[in-house]
C-alpha cells in the first residue's frame, strides 16, 4: 500500500473532518495493519527557498569569532540558537550540536528561524542582496 497523506486545514469543522478520516481508515485497514501519525505540517518549499539565499549572504559577510562559515554551517548555528540545542564534546575533540534537521521543523518553527536569521543579519550589518533580496519580495509571505 502506498503512503497516504491527509491534511486538515484550519477552520474545517471537526465532525466533517472526523467522518472523512473514519472513512479512509475503514477502507485502508481492511488491507492489513496501518500506522497513523499525527503532526503539524513541516516547513514549506517556499520557506526553504527563502532561507538559503539569506544564509549565503550571511556566509559571505559575517566573520564569526575568526571563522568564515559556509551557509550550511550557518544553518546549524542559527537552528541551534532557535531550538536551544545542546552542545556536547565530540569523541575525538571539538564539539557537536545535538539538534534536529530543519526538514522536520514545523512551518511555525521555520518561520521563526527565518525571522531569527533576519534579526541576526541586521545585528551583524548584513546587506541583503542578490537572491536574498529578490526572494524577500517573491516569498514575502513564506515566513
Amino acid at each position: 500500500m502506498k503512503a497516504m497523506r491527509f491534511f486538515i486545514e484550519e477552520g474545517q469543522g471537526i465532525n466533517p473532518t472526523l467522518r472523512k478520516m473514519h472513512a479512509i481508515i475503514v477502507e485502508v485497514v481492511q488491507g492489513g495493519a496501518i500506522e497513523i501519525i499525527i503532526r503539524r505540517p513541516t516547513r514549506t518549499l517556499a520557506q526553504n527557498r527563502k532561507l538559503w539565499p539569506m544564509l549565503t549572504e550571511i556566509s559571505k559577510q559575517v566573520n564569526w569569532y575568526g571563522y568564515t562559515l559556509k551557509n550550511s554551517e550557518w544553518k546549524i548555528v542559527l537552528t541551534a540558537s532557535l531550538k536551544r540545542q545542546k552542545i556536547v564534546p565530540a569523541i575525538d575533540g571539538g564539539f557537536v550540536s545535538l539538534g534536529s534537521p530543519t526538514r522536520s521543523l514545523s512551518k511555525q518553527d521555520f518561520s521563526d528561524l527565518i525571522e531569527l536569521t533576519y534579526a541576526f543579519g541586521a545585528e551583524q550589518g548584513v546587506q541583503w542582496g542578490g537572491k536574498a533580496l529578490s526572494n524577500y519580495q517573491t516569498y514575502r509571505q513564506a515566513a
Side-chain angles (χ1 to χ4, degrees):
M1 178 183 97
K2 172 176 127 177
M4 297 176 68
R5 288 186 178 206
F6 181 76
F7 294 97
I8 302 172
E9 296 294 328
E10 219 172 312
Q12 289 180 333
I14 190 70
N15 288 333
T17 299
L18 289 175
R19 280 193 295 275
K20 188 174 182 181
M21 289 174 63
H22 180 263
I24 291 170
I25 291 168
V26 167
E27 181 181 329
V28 172
V29 85
Q30 292 173 0
I34 63 170
E35 177 182 27
I36 298 173
I37 299 170
I38 298 175
R39 66 175 183 205
R40 300 275 181 224
T42 56
R43 59 114 172 108
T44 66
L45 293 177
Q47 286 177 310
N48 203 44
R49 284 190 295 267
K50 186 172 188 171
L51 179 67
W52 281 98
M54 296 171 68
L55 295 171
T56 299
E57 289 296 327
I58 289 173
S59 72
K60 288 179 189 174
Q61 298 178 44
V62 177
N63 182 293
W64 194 242
Y65 294 95
Y67 293 96
T68 301
L69 303 177
K70 295 184 260 182
N71 53 6
S72 58
E73 294 169 326
W74 275 114
K75 183 183 78 157
I76 294 167
V77 169
L78 290 162
T79 304
S81 179
L82 175 73
K83 301 304 279 181
R84 302 286 183 219
Q85 296 166 346
K86 289 187 255 179
I87 306 297
V88 298
I91 294 172
D92 58 354
F95 293 91
V96 177
S97 171
L98 303 177
S100 58
T102 55
R103 72 178 167 274
S104 65
L105 290 179
S106 70
K107 286 169 65 173
Q108 182 59 56
D109 284 343
F110 208 91
S111 178
D112 292 344
L113 177 61
I114 289 170
E115 292 302 318
L116 173 66
T117 304
Y118 274 129
F120 177 78
E123 288 171 2
Q124 298 298 315
V126 170
Q127 299 297 308
W128 304 112
K131 273 191 164 184
L133 187 57
S134 66
N135 280 356
Y136 176 77
Q137 294 302 326
T138 305
Y139 302 114
R140 182 176 216 139
Q141 301 304 315

